[in-house]
Amino acid sequence: MGELPGLAGLLREMRLPRSLRVRAMALTALVAIPMMLLLLLLSLYGDVPASSALHAAGEVAARGKAHELPGPWSTKAWRFGPPRIWRRILRRVQPIVHISARGPPSERCPHRGGRSHTSGAPHAHTSPTRTNMMSATAICLNGCPEASNSLLNPTPSTTRPKPYTKPRVGVPGELPGGAPRSVWRWDALVITRGQFDAVPEWLRFPDSCMHCIGTVKFKLLRGQLRVKGGPPPWASPEHWGPLVEQLLLVAHLYPDLPDIDLWCTWGMAAQQVLKCSHKQRWHPVLSWNICRDHPLAGFTLPTYSAWRASRSSAALDALHRCLEARYPHGRRTASAFWRGGTSDKGFNAELGWPITVENVFNVSRVQMVRLAAPFHPRIDAAVVDLHETNTNDEAAVRALLPRTSHKQPFEDFNRRAVVLDMDGNGWSDRFVQLAHFNSPILKQTSNATAFFEHLLAPGSAIETFSNDLSDFVGRSSSMLAELESDPARLQRQVRHRQLLAKSFLTTLAVTAALAYTLDIYAGLADWTVAEEPGYERVDPRLCCRWVGLPHQVVRRMHDVSAS
């Protein structure tokens, strides 16, 4: 308080009474001390403690949407909204108040002008000259997934092999122990040219088009990706873009891949809906899910969600630490939680469509909600979206549902002790996000699987209940009771699942899984890949809008395209 003696001297020279001088000095101290503390907090904001494990240099992704933390510091506590200056102060102080850790300093939070990565919009690459030392402590009112998006794959140094720009030698093989890197099943061990040419343009039921799923033919020839006829007009950008990006990055990183002709399709209702119903021919296509109990189940393709949610290992570490800091064990609501729509592969395949007031209770997810309703809030399950209903019947169908709810951010699931997961049109596509969560998962037993879920052993990474829901209530109650009495086993299970996710859901790991599948597919084909009319080259400059990659790989791929 170096200014106070000067103030005291000034007051003394003014010959003010002693009582007035004391009051003036006290008032000055009351104003100055809080302001100095506030300035100290703001100055420390750029040096928020961070875990040394997360001290990695990387690009700053210009994406993420502000997400307020609950509690007394939330600006929502101001009924009519605080003044602008206080909003700015709260935004800066709030992350420090809520989350703390140890380690080296981090920079301020990145620009949040872009749209959220989960909103379905592609993000722009930012300047490669900026570095980011983001961690779980400096989340700047973003949700944990959005904050971890700011940690892209570390920029390669000049003394280390460049992880993206340097092509790999060879092709990824099986995992240690012989487990497939990406699940597939084709017991015939050969794909004939006749089977390949017999793949229809649309996979559909003979008597309906509820799930008319389009197929697209690709060719990887001399390291160039080509597509038959160009992008199909019905392909949605959020599905088509990630598919093309994966294939382009595989072609860039794995030049030793053999030439390949392949069919791809996408949609949770692709082959697994048709195949698990045993009503459709079995085709050699790559799809998001397969029905793995059939001898010609096919080949899995990482979903668009898996690709868009993939991050660097450092970013996933940041995500897990952020979730642990925000939602520690012992501070969650003691309930088993589920929110979702009325998708149902068995219903669609066997019982027909659309969902009406006569058949709505045959939908598996609705049956689960009905079973959970008497135990609410202990078992909290509710329908959010109605799928596959006629518009005229939607209100009547919704009125019959036992419980409905509004949409909630996936991150909020971490506030509950147990997260429930049910199949929809296949193994739920949300699982690539749930796998990172800090709550134990209770999953419906399923014969469908996406590319990496075969590695999740029940009792080791997840808990399961029967496919027919016969033990759903009992398993939910027993998990909640175990968490209240002795949570150590389930906490170890969470850590094991997060370790698997960190190993198999990074951008490089997802790319390696697809490269493995393509190598298997090419090895089973009994024909020689050659030039054919009707194919167009896929421009490498289409990569990479849907996933965060260092600027080096994007620039290299664009340079290759230009040359």
Side-chain angles (χ1 to χ4, degrees):
M1 296 298 175
E3 73 276 13
L4 291 182
L7 177 63
L10 178 63
L11 294 175
R12 195 177 297 112
E13 291 180 1
M14 295 174 63
R15 302 180 182 276
L16 294 175
R18 178 180 178 84
S19 60
L20 290 180
R21 294 202 306 267
V22 171
R23 292 177 184 178
M25 293 176 63
L27 180 61
T28 303
L30 289 175
V31 174
I33 292 176
M35 291 300 297
M36 291 180 66
L37 291 175
L38 180 59
L39 290 174
L40 177 62
L41 284 175
L42 296 181
S43 65
L44 290 176
Y45 177 69
D47 296 323
V48 179
S51 170
S52 58
L54 309 179
H55 192 275
E59 289 185 87
V60 178
R63 58 187 172 185
K65 187 176 181 180
H67 176 76
E68 291 186 339
L69 289 165
W73 286 87
S74 173
T75 55
K76 293 180 180 178
W78 301 72
R79 182 172 182 180
F80 299 103
R84 179 178 299 179
I85 181 62
W86 287 110
R87 286 201 300 269
R88 296 178 65 181
I89 292 172
L90 289 175
R91 287 174 182 172
R92 291 178 177 270
V93 174
Q94 188 176 27
I96 307 173
V97 174
H98 278 271
I99 299 177
S100 62
R102 297 178 180 179
S106 68
E107 292 185 351
R108 293 191 177 188
C109 289
H111 170 63
R112 296 194 302 270
R115 296 180 62 182
S116 170
H117 180 57
T118 57
S119 66
H123 66 276
H125 289 275
T126 55
S127 170
T129 60
R130 279 189 74 184
T131 59
N132 177 39
M133 301 174 186
M134 188 85 170
S135 77
T137 60
I139 56 176
C140 295
L141 300 183
N142 282 325
C144 288
E146 287 82 0
S148 66
N149 281 342
S150 300
L151 261 182
L152 304 186
N153 295 277
T155 303
S157 68
T158 57
T159 59
R160 297 181 181 179
K162 297 181 178 181
Y164 276 94
T165 60
K166 185 177 180 180
R168 272 67 173 154
V169 176
V171 181
E174 293 180 337
L175 298 171
R181 190 175 294 271
S182 180
V183 68
W184 63 280
R185 186 175 181 185
W186 194 262
D187 290 359
L189 297 181
V190 63
I191 302 173
T192 67
R193 184 69 197 206
Q195 289 174 317
F196 185 84
D197 291 337
V199 175
E201 184 179 357
W202 294 90
L203 299 178
R204 57 177 297 171
F205 292 113
D207 55 348
S208 75
C209 200
M210 182 60 204
H211 290 295
C212 292
I213 303 301
T215 55
V216 179
K217 189 185 293 186
F218 287 95
K219 185 188 293 286
L220 189 61
L221 185 62
R222 294 187 295 275
Q224 291 186 356
L225 180 65
R226 308 179 185 187
V227 60
K228 183 67 175 290
W234 42 262
S236 59
E238 62 270 19
H239 294 168
W240 176 257
L243 171 63
V244 169
E245 285 188 3
Q246 292 180 67
L247 293 171
L248 286 172
L249 191 58
V250 166
H252 169 73
L253 291 179
Y254 299 99
D256 293 338
L257 269 174
D259 294 339
I260 311 167
D261 283 313
L262 70 148
W263 282 99
C264 289
T265 185
W266 55 85
M268 297 306 294
Q271 282 220 144
Q272 78 282 356
V273 170
L274 306 172
K275 288 183 173 182
C276 290
S277 69
H278 302 282
K279 287 186 176 181
Q280 183 76 13
R281 289 185 60 185
W282 300 77
H283 299 292
V285 301
L286 275 68
S287 56
W288 286 352
N289 268 228
I290 62 172
C291 188
R292 59 188 176 193
D293 61 348
H294 195 279
L296 298 178
F299 308 84
T300 50
L301 171 75
T303 68
Y304 77 101
S305 297
W307 180 246
R308 288 161 54 183
S310 66
R311 298 171 174 83
S312 67
S313 179
L316 292 184
D317 193 26
L319 172 61
H320 298 163
R321 290 173 181 268
C322 179
L323 293 174
E324 173 62 29
R326 274 193 168 187
Y327 314 103
H329 292 283
R331 295 181 59 184
R332 303 192 188 98
T333 304
S335 67
F337 188 78
W338 181 85
R339 293 290 186 272
T342 54
S343 301
D344 187 326
K345 66 180 186 299
F347 175 84
N348 294 328
E350 306 295 344
L351 302 177
W353 69 281
I355 296 176
T356 65
V357 293
E358 287 79 16
N359 59 26
V360 62
F361 295 122
N362 294 325
V363 178
S364 294
R365 290 182 169 187
V366 176
Q367 293 175 2
M368 181 192 69
V369 173
R370 294 185 72 187
L371 290 171
F375 302 93
H376 181 268
R378 185 76 168 172
I379 305 178
D380 186 359
V383 172
V384 173
D385 295 316
L386 289 178
H387 302 308
E388 293 123 19
T389 60
N390 287 331
T391 304
N392 295 335
D393 297 334
E394 184 171 335
V397 171
R398 184 175 290 275
L400 293 176
L401 297 175
R403 291 194 68 240
T404 58
S405 178
H406 57 82
K407 291 185 178 181
Q408 297 190 23
F410 274 139
E411 185 178 331
D412 287 352
F413 286 30
N414 288 277
R415 303 181 188 277
R416 310 305 178 110
V418 175
V419 174
L420 302 172
D421 193 27
M422 280 279 292
D423 279 1
N425 288 323
W427 187 297
S428 66
D429 190 41
R430 69 176 64 177
F431 194 84
V432 293
Q433 300 178 61
L434 300 183
H436 300 292
F437 283 3
N438 206 35
S439 297
I441 293 177
L442 181 59
K443 172 75 175 66
Q444 180 188 29
T445 303
S446 175
N447 62 350
T449 183
F451 80 101
F452 92 106
E453 283 85 351
H454 62 293
L455 302 173
L456 301 168
S460 177
I462 57 174
E463 296 293 312
T464 59
F465 58 92
S466 64
N467 187 266
D468 63 3
L469 310 183
S470 58
D471 61 346
F472 163 69
V473 172
R475 293 290 292 124
S476 301
S477 301
S478 64
M479 280 189 69
L480 291 171
E482 182 177 354
L483 285 170
E484 292 170 349
S485 61
D486 185 12
R489 183 185 72 87
L490 292 176
Q491 290 177 7
R492 288 194 301 270
Q493 189 178 104
V494 168
R495 290 192 293 270
H496 179 61
R497 171 170 39 81
Q498 288 180 333
L499 179 61
L500 287 174
K502 185 179 174 181
S503 301
F504 296 104
L505 293 179
T506 65
T507 306
L508 287 178
V510 173
T511 307
L514 180 56
Y516 165 81
T517 300
L518 296 183
D519 188 47
I520 293 293
Y521 195 97
L524 297 179
D526 69 347
W527 67 93
T528 301
V529 180
E531 295 276 2
E532 294 181 79
Y535 282 85
E536 297 179 8
R537 185 190 178 201
V538 179
D539 190 346
R541 289 177 295 181
L542 293 177
C543 190
C544 299
R545 302 173 61 211
W546 294 92
V547 68
L549 294 178
H551 69 284
Q552 287 92 341
V553 63
V554 179
R555 185 169 57 195
R556 181 183 175 93
M557 294 177 70
H558 293 183
D559 290 344
V560 170
S561 173
S563 63

